[in-house]
């Protein structure tokens, strides 16, 4: 892919308006075993080139799958035509782009290949173990899934970036009968993260670690089989560190995306105001963090901007938004590299990268001990946000807390709240951080994102039955 | 543009030459032109040209699937090789099969040319109409597009269906604002064939924008009660669709975890509920007429008078279970209305809520759901009193479709479904 940069740079020397061109290839492979049967064995590849041109405040964008020089030139022409069409048909718009310097990033590691056989063999061996070790399951599903985005980006202001973002994960989904005869379910990412098959699946202890994780998940499922439904209403809770990232992403992150601020998000009225307890700090990390490499590092975004950390909440005060170059100019802020596109045919949108609540100083045991009557919520399935800051997460596992001790396990439920109200109720943060990166954020386009945080003591609304 | 039928024959031949016993290909080629409005301003014109090939090979009772977005000979040959490699690595399964030849057909739906200038005119008019008639509304994002595509589904049994289709689509995400007060976001989406009508007049958008303005100054409910929920047509379709996904789709029927596994032709819902899949209905815009397993899509009943008439099974799941495959792979749904006008349904509610959007987690296997009632209103003593915030509902999907009190006489078609309002009892509603 990198060899295409000469053509792109040559074409961009003639650009009379801000222009970016991107060659991109997305690949994926997925294997699914349903109770031992291979019901999924697929791979996909999607590649192409795009161009985006800014004229009189309007963007023209075009993309096509052919990568020969003639087709690449045609894509650039089409993007210019689209920009001209809007610029000629509509009044000139008072919009500009924040000035930025050219950035440079070249991915320099070999990209290894893996085969469907490797995926299937690992999944099958793991499935054989789960079948034997977890006898009370009524159903088990094992998914090995990998995806990768490789991008070559050139801009008219001189950025050249060649980036690769590979991910691979193994999921285990277990079902069993509950004590009332209904079916209950739990799932988890057993192994995986940023990287390739060899990084997680071929090490000497890879399978042993997966087996231990399966044992642990099975034990939790058996506890859940005896679970109760929580009482509906506002409750004192500890959100486990595995949930805090969802809080950072859904409850706060979306409301401070500058395009949503322009659309009327609640954050617009709260910049510079206290929106959370003073102990809350929230950052959208670009790549390196105080806790190691972010789960999905971004070095240059798809507008050609060098990626930096975006501080969103500092000591409880809302300090910034996530921007693209256009919204950064509008709000007179600096763009930190949040403009990202999912596939070759997609335009960059303002997206999160690795959004996290920063850890505090408390120990989880002390946090649990501090609650007389409440819940410790340990697993989430999904979350949704609103521009009002109202959020909800599905909760798949948790426990009652009675007199400072864990009590009965919980069945599936949902929690909800209003972010800037709920964050003011935070009174303790654990001293560790847990990252998660297996999901996709949805916003016109999907996007791999990282999210993280510590265990959080707060008040939320919990659904019952 | 390359002839998709010819290309399908070439690819199927290649798969056979590489050792496939059976094979299927799905080819598509198309273009899309899209206008974007962000934060209330027209911002972007985007065009996309894309080809795609999805191929499936069965070799020695083992399956491989691959998709690429290129018709180039080298890319296709490489994909064929990888598809066979995937099949060679797979696990034997007697249930794998491709569709049998019946009667091939070529379909043409919608419009194959579009008018870019007039579309832009209609979009500007739409923005002006919303700004003038609904001054509290901010359109956070508006995407209006025209897409044209040709699709071919063919297999080594001689099956070959094609469909050319073209249509416009509109998606609007919006909320109402007054000072620092704002509402939850609302969404409207629909497909349409022509630009003869101002876009704001298509379907019931005016009701949606009007309702959004009334959502300002929402209040939370105190405490918790079990009561009636009046679901908007889209909301009701989501409840029913989620229940069907949860109880009659491939995985839960194959592994036997569905509570409806043995309930074909028995009562699973209120006798007031009839759910029909209608891909061939003329009112459906942009509907696929080709089944993803390589058949012609047909209309059929999922549920008739409360009785389960069909599972939603692929050909593979059908062979695994011995149950009939689904007659269409389509989301075009018609739910029969009832006898009571909407106004009377509202008057009949002593205490309950009118729910238009549900933000909740994935349902549990048994159908338990809980989540936040969005874009929703309190109903007391037969009247809608105020908009709601921070209000959760919880219930069980199976119980909810059995607890249908009444469906509205009004039954609305939006081009992708035909749906009534539904009054459902026994739902737990909780506030702060």
């Amino acid at each position: 892919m990198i060899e295409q940069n000469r053509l792109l740079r040559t074409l961009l020397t003639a650009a009379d308006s801000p222009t970016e061109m991107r060659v991109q290839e997305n690949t994926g492979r997925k294997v699914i075993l349903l109770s031992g049967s291979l019901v999924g064995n697929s791979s996909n590849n999607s590649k192409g080139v795009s161009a985006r041109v800014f004229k009189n405040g309007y963007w023209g964008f075009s993309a096509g799958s052919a990568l020969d020089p003639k087709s690449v030139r045609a894509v650039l022409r089409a993007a210019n035509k689209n920009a001209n069409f809007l610029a000629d048909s509509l009044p000139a718009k008072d919009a500009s782009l924040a000035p930025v310097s050219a950035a440079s990033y070249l991915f320099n590691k070999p990209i290894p290949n893996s085969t469907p056989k490797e995926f299937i063999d690992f999944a099958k061996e793991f499935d054989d173990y789960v079948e034997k070790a977890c006898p009370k399951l009524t159903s088990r599903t094992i998914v090995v899934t990998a995806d990768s985005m490789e991008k070559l980006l050139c801009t008219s202001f001189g950025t050249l970036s060649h980036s690769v973002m590979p991910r691979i994960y193994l999921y285990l989904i277990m079902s069993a009968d509950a004590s009332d005869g209904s079916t209950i379910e739990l799932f988890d990412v057993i192994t995986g993260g940023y990287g390739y098959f060899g990084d997680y699946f071929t090490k000497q202890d890879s399978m042993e670690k997966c087996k231990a994780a399966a044992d642990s998940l099975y034990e939790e499922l058996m506890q859940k089989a005896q679970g109760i439904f929580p009482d509906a209403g506002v409750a004192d809770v500890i959100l486990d560190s595995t949930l805090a990232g969802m809080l950072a992403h859904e409850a706060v992150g979306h409301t401070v995306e500058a395009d949503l601020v322009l659309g009327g998000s609640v954050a617009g009225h709260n910049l510079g105001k206290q929106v959370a307890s003073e102990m809350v700090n929230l950052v959208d990390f670009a790549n390196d963090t105080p806790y190691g490499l972010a789960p999905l590092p971004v070095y240059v975004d798809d507008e050609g901007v060098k990626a930096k950390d975006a501080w969103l909440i500092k000591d409880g005060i809302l300090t910034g938004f996530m921007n693209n170059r256009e919204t950064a100019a509008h709000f007179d802020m600096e763009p930190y590299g949040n403009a990202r596109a999912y596939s070759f045919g997609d335009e960059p949108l303002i997206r999160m990268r690795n959004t996290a609540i920063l850890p505090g100083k408390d120990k989880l045991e002390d946090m649990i001990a501090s609650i007389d009557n409440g819940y410790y919520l340990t697993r989430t399935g999904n979350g949704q946000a609103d521009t009002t800051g109202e959020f909800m997460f599905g909760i798949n596992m948790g426990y009652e807390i009675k007199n400072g001790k864990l009590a009965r396990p919980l069945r599936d439920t949902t929690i909800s709240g209003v972010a800037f109200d709920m964050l003011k109720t935070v009174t303790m943060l654990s001293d560790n951080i847990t990252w998660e990166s297996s999901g996709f954020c949805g916003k016109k386009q999907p996007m791999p994102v990282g999210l993280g945080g510590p265990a959080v003591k707060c008040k939320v609304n919990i659904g019952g039955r | 543009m390359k002839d998709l039928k010819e290309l399908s024959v070439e690819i199927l031949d290649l798969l056979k030459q590489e050792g496939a016993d059976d094979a299927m290909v799905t080819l598509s080629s198309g273009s899309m032109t899209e206008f974007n409005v962000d934060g209330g301003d027209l911002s972007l014109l985007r065009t996309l040209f894309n080809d795609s090939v999805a191929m499936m090979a069965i070799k020695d009772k083992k399956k491989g699937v691959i998709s690429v977005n290129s018709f180039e000979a080298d890319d296709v040959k490489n994909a064929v090789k990888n598809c066979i490699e995937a099949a060679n690595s797979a696990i034997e399964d007697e249930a794998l099969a491709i569709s049998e030849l019946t009667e091939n057909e070529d379909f043409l739906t919608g419009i194959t040319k579009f008018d870019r200038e007039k579309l832009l005119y209609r979009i500007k008019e739409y923005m002006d109409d919303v700004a003038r008639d609904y001054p509290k509304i901010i359109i956070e994002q508006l995407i209006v597009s025209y897409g044209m595509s040709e699709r071919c589904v063919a297999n080594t049994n001689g099956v070959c269906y094609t469909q050319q289709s073209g249509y416009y689509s509109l998606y609007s995400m919006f909320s109402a604002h007054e000072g620092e007060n704002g509402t939850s976001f609302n969404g409207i989406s629909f497909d349409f064939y022509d630009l003869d009508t101002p876009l704001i007049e298509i379907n019931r958008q005016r009701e949606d924008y009007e309702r959004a303005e009334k959502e300002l100054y929402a209040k939370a409910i105190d405490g918790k009660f079990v009561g009636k929920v009046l679901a908007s047509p889209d909301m009701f379709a989501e409840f029913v669709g989620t229940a069907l996904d949860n109880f009659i789709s491939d995985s839960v029927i194959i592994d036997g975890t569905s509570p409806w596994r043995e309930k074909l032709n028995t009562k699973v819902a209120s006798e007031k509920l009839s759910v029909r899949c209608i891909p061939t209905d003329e009112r459906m815009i942009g509907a696929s007429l080709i089944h993803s397993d390589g058949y012609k899509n047909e209309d059929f009943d999922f549920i008739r008078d409360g009785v389960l008439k069909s599972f939603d099974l692929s050909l593979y799941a059908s062979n695994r279970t011995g149950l009939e495959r689904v007659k269409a792979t389509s989301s075009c749904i018609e739910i029969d209305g009832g006898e009571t006008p909407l106004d009377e349904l509202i008057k009949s509610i002593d205490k309950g809520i009118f729910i238009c959007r549900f933000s909740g987690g994935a349902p549990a296997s048994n159908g338990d759901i809980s989540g936040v009632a969005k874009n929703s209103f309190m109903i007391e003593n037969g009247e809608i009193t105020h908009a709601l915030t921070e209000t959760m509902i919880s219930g069980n999907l199976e119980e909810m479709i059995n607890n249908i009190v009444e469906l509205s006489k009004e039954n609305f078609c939006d081009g992708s479904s035909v749906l009534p309002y539904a009054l459902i009892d026994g739902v737990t509603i909780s506030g702060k």
Side-chain angles (χ1 to χ4, degrees), chain A residues 69-243:
Chain A
K70 189 178 164 194
S71 301
V72 172
R73 285 191 185 91
V75 160
L76 179 58
R77 269 199 307 276
N80 269 297
K81 270 187 173 177
N82 286 345
N84 286 333
F85 177 72
L86 289 181
D88 294 344
S89 307
L90 298 165
K93 205 163 70 168
D94 182 23
S96 58
L97 303 179
V100 291
S101 305
S104 176
Y105 174 75
L106 295 177
F107 184 83
N108 58 5
K109 292 176 190 159
I111 299 176
N113 224 342
S114 54
T115 65
K117 187 172 187 316
E118 288 175 299
F119 278 48
I120 293 168
D121 287 350
F122 194 96
K124 188 77 183 75
E125 185 182 344
F126 183 55
D127 183 68
D128 288 345
Y129 174 78
V130 174
E131 184 182 19
K132 286 182 191 127
C134 311
K136 290 184 179 171
L137 296 185
T138 54
S139 172
R140 62 189 191 279
T141 304
I142 285 156
V143 181
V144 185
T145 179
D147 58 63
S148 175
M149 295 193 295
E150 181 180 3
K151 300 175 178 182
L152 171 68
L153 178 84
C154 295
T155 71
S156 55
F157 63 89
T159 286
L160 169 63
S161 168
H162 176 223
S163 63
V164 182
M165 184 178 283
R167 306 188 299 171
I168 185 162
Y169 302 93
L170 183 147
Y171 294 88
L172 173 59
I173 304 151
M174 294 174 160
S175 300
D177 289 334
S179 52
D180 63 0
S182 63
T183 299
I184 52 156
E185 192 175 274
L186 270 185
F187 71 92
D188 202 2
V189 177
I190 297 296
T191 189
Y194 177 71
Y196 299 95
F197 190 83
D199 296 323
Y200 300 95
F201 291 81
T202 59
K203 297 189 188 316
Q204 206 169 8
D205 60 349
S206 294
M207 183 57 75
E208 291 312 309
K209 281 184 176 171
C210 290
K211 287 176 181 175
D215 291 344
S216 173
L217 190 67
Y218 181 62
E219 191 181 326
E220 282 186 62
L221 184 68
M222 291 301 102
Q223 291 174 359
K224 186 176 174 178
Q226 309 301 321
I228 52 117
F229 290 97
D231 293 327
V234 176
D236 287 316
V237 301
I238 307 292
L239 305 178
D240 188 69
S241 59
T242 55
L243 273 70

Side-chain angles (χ1 to χ4, degrees), chain A residues 6-61:
Chain A
R6 283 190 183 172
L7 173 62
L8 301 192
R9 290 164 85 175
T10 303
L11 291 173
L12 288 169
T13 55
D16 59 1
S17 302
T19 303
E20 68 221 25
M21 297 193 75
R22 175 166 35 94
V23 177
Q24 182 168 342
E25 181 170 11
N26 287 26
T27 58
R29 183 185 301 287
K30 184 181 277 190
V31 160
I32 306 171
L33 279 173
L34 174 62
S35 297
S37 295
L38 185 71
V39 297
N41 175 24
S42 62
S43 64
N44 61 76
N45 178 295
S46 155
K47 61 186 175 185
V49 60
S50 70
R52 191 172 72 144
V53 178
F54 189 67
K55 284 190 179 170
N56 288 0
Y58 300 100
W59 291 101
F61 180 95

Side-chain angles (χ1 to χ4, degrees), chain A residues 33-39 41-47 52 57-65 78 82 85-86 89-90 93 115-117 120 124 138-139 175 182-185 229 232-234 260 262-264 269 273 344-347 382 384-388 390-392 394 411-416 418 421 444 461-465, chain B residues 34-36 39 41-51 63-70 75 85-87 89-91 93 116-117 120 124 138 140-141 143 173 175 177 179-185 224 251 254-255 257 316 320 357-362 364-366 368 370-372 374 389-392 394 396 399 428 430-432:
Chain A
L33 279 173
L34 174 62
S35 297
S37 295
L38 185 71
V39 297
N41 175 24
S42 62
S43 64
N44 61 76
N45 178 295
S46 155
K47 61 186 175 185
R52 191 172 72 144
Y58 300 100
W59 291 101
F61 180 95
S62 184
S65 50
N82 286 345
F85 177 72
L86 289 181
S89 307
L90 298 165
K93 205 163 70 168
T115 65
K117 187 172 187 316
I120 293 168
K124 188 77 183 75
T138 54
S139 172
S175 300
S182 63
T183 299
I184 52 156
E185 192 175 274
F229 290 97
V234 176
L260 296 187
L262 288 172
H269 310 301
K273 293 183 184 171
F344 75 91
D346 290 328
E347 76 280 19
N382 68 326
Q384 293 172 9
D386 201 319
T387 44
T388 57
E390 191 173 22
F391 65 90
M392 84 85 214
R411 297 279 290 271
D412 291 340
T413 188
T414 302
I415 59 170
S416 67
V418 175
D421 295 340
K444 191 182 180 194
N461 199 11
I462 190 163
R465 193 184 202 191
Chain B
E34 174 189 278
F35 289 91
N36 282 245
D41 285 327
L42 256 161
S43 60
L44 172 84
L45 172 56
R46 168 176 174 250
T47 51
L48 174 64
F49 302 88
N50 200 16
D51 300 323
K63 183 176 90 165
V65 175
I66 190 163
S67 64
V68 295
N69 72 327
S70 171
D75 291 333
E85 185 194 352
S89 310
I91 299 168
D93 194 330
R116 188 175 64 165
E117 283 72 16
L120 178 59
K124 286 191 286 182
I138 293 179
E140 298 170 29
Q141 186 173 55
I143 301 170
M173 186 174 107
S175 51
H177 296 266
E180 292 197 1
N181 283 295
T183 70
S184 291
F185 65 78
K224 165 181 163 183
S251 60
I254 288 175
D255 69 16
T257 54
Y316 169 76
R320 277 289 300 267
R357 186 162 68 89
F358 175 73
S359 174
S365 305
N366 69 347
D368 282 347
S370 64
V372 183
K374 297 279 194 176
T389 185
E390 296 184 78
T391 301
M392 298 185 79
S394 56
N396 177 281
E399 289 171 14
T428 302
S430 58
K432 292 183 97 171

